[in-house]
Amino acid sequence: MKRIGVLTSGGDAPGMNAAIRAVVRTGIGEGWDVYGIQHGYSGLINGDAVPLGARDVGGIIQRGGTMLGSARSPEFMTEEGRHKALQTLGNYQIEALVVIGGNGSQKGAYALSQMGFPVVGIASTIDNDLYGTDISIGVDTALDIALVAIDRLKVTASSHHRAFAVEVMGRDTGHLALAAGIAGGAEYIVVPEVETDPEDLATAIRSAYDRGKTHAMLVVAEGARYNAEELERYFAEHRAQVGFELRITILGYVQRGGAPGAHDRLLATRFGAAATEALVRGEHGVLIGLLCGEVATTLLSEVAANKKPLDQELLDLVNVLAR
Ligand code: ATP
């Protein structure tokens, strides 16, 4: 093999740059040319590719976002779009592709590999909802950002005897909310995977108030039926007697753009190097992830077909810790 391509797709995640850097430099180490595809699958369809040398990826390991740009491409979801992508790869004589991204991006990677093109995926999404890895690039940094906000809000909540509902990202899953809630010492965590009765929540907050707590902290996932705004609306409409006044804060995109911490830089570098190693072994159609502390590969067919379950052990802890 002489030439590979690398792209970032879906939501940007802190550490994507470190992964690009690792793919480029380990690829060059194998004697390959490495091309960066800009703007994810859109760039692949439109032919936006640039050669990347070792110097081109200097000074990016500490930067959030992605130097290649990212995009969501509805066209790539169609067979016609993917044929155009294959044409671009052929035009540039790219023989294998590394796809750095989350759930949807890896489904796209699988679709491309099913058309006979060698693809290796790298797990990267702050949502941490990707099957085939315990943790994805960007999660640790996004969690740290959420925790800074939660810690600050707790100070105000205590001073004013308030309940705060902090909404974190995660699309239709609660992985990020669960981890942020546990690490942030939240009294309650609302995730899409577990049905929440707002009446039960109101009772629990009221009980915390009666037990003399100075505040109540709720961490809610954006994809939950009762996310921050829905909870606020419900409590207002039903004049829920929760004791505390409720305030909501939606963290939104601030969780995404941070500079990657040490954990994400290391993880991304290991994943990038592992993607090159997989291609050297002739292994493709796989996702690079971390399983039980080890870098491991999982078939993209499995990644595309399975939903990552919430960590039951963490879920069980929520109730025990909210005393
Ligand atoms: P994140 O969840 O962190 O935002 P993601 O990779 O899950 O990242 P998506 O928007 O779901 O983000 O997917 C990114 C792109 O992957 C889509 O815009 C689309 O081009 C491609 N993609 C998603 N699902 C499929 C699919 N089933 N088949 C082909 N391509 C897909």
Side-chain angles (χ1 to χ4, degrees):
M1 190 161 62
K2 291 199 180 71
R3 185 171 292 173
I4 66 165
V6 57
L7 62 79
T8 49
S9 167
D12 66 317
M16 278 182 158
N17 279 327
I20 296 167
R21 173 181 178 271
V23 171
V24 169
R25 291 195 174 165
T26 55
I28 289 171
E30 294 299 329
W32 305 335
D33 295 337
V34 184
Y35 271 64
I37 319 292
Q38 291 163 319
H39 317 300
Y41 291 128
S42 306
L44 200 56
I45 289 170
N46 299 329
D48 302 332
V50 286
L52 292 176
R55 293 286 72 72
D56 296 318
V57 291
I60 64 167
I61 196 168
Q62 73 276 23
R63 283 205 236 134
T66 157
M67 69 167 289
L68 290 173
S70 190
R72 304 195 196 269
S73 166
E75 199 181 350
F76 192 77
M77 315 262 296
T78 67
E79 189 136 347
E80 200 193 333
R82 291 196 293 278
H83 274 295
K84 283 191 200 163
L86 281 179
Q87 222 156 27
T88 298
L89 290 163
N91 292 344
Y92 281 94
Q93 298 178 322
I94 292 170
E95 294 159 88
L97 182 68
V98 177
V99 171
I100 304 167
N103 232 331
S105 305
Q106 302 308 338
K107 285 196 175 111
Y110 177 52
L112 202 61
S113 74
Q114 274 189 307
M115 294 168 91
F117 197 84
V119 187
V120 171
I122 289 182
S124 177
T125 167
I126 68 162
D127 300 337
N128 207 20
D129 58 349
L130 198 46
Y131 185 89
T133 190
D134 295 336
I135 190 157
S136 294
I137 296 169
V139 174
D140 187 69
T141 305
L143 275 176
D144 275 344
I145 295 167
L147 290 180
V148 167
I150 290 169
D151 291 349
R152 286 181 183 169
L153 290 169
K154 245 185 189 178
V155 172
T156 295
S158 290
S159 305
H160 291 265
H161 260 65
R162 277 186 190 149
F164 266 91
V166 185
E167 185 178 300
V168 302
M169 284 187 143
R171 297 188 94 166
D172 56 352
T173 70
H175 296 279
L176 194 67
L178 182 58
I182 296 272
E187 271 75 26
Y188 314 99
I189 302 173
V190 183
V191 291
E193 292 86 345
V194 180
E195 205 174 317
T196 302
D197 181 345
E199 282 304 325
D200 291 347
L201 210 55
T203 308
I205 298 172
R206 174 81 214 182
S207 141
Y209 182 80
D210 291 341
R211 291 201 310 277
K213 282 208 167 197
T214 54
H215 66 265
M217 181 60 68
L218 290 75
V219 171
V220 304
E222 64 176 344
R225 158 90 177 79
Y226 288 98
N227 59 17
E229 279 175 349
E230 287 304 317
L231 259 188
E232 187 180 44
R233 185 172 308 144
Y234 182 91
F235 282 4
E237 272 173 14
H238 293 78
R239 299 179 183 283
Q241 299 297 306
V242 294
F244 300 106
E245 259 184 79
L246 179 74
R247 294 281 190 275
I248 63 168
T249 298
I250 298 170
L251 296 185
Y253 290 105
V254 293
Q255 287 157 103
R256 280 255 189 93
H263 182 276
D264 279 323
R265 294 185 204 188
L266 281 169
L267 191 70
T269 303
R270 291 171 75 193
F271 282 5
T276 296
E277 281 162 23
L279 289 172
V280 169
R281 288 194 300 272
E283 192 181 357
H284 49 79
V286 293
L287 175 81
I288 307 290
L290 195 77
L291 294 172
C292 301
E294 302 284 340
V295 177
T297 55
T298 304
L299 288 174
L300 283 173
S301 54
E302 277 182 44
V303 174
N306 287 289
K307 201 171 155 62
K308 181 172 168 178
L310 271 192
D311 186 332
Q312 190 58 45
E313 208 180 310
L314 280 187
L315 262 181
D316 293 342
L317 274 176
V318 178
N319 292 333
V320 181
L321 296 174
R323 286 176 199 283

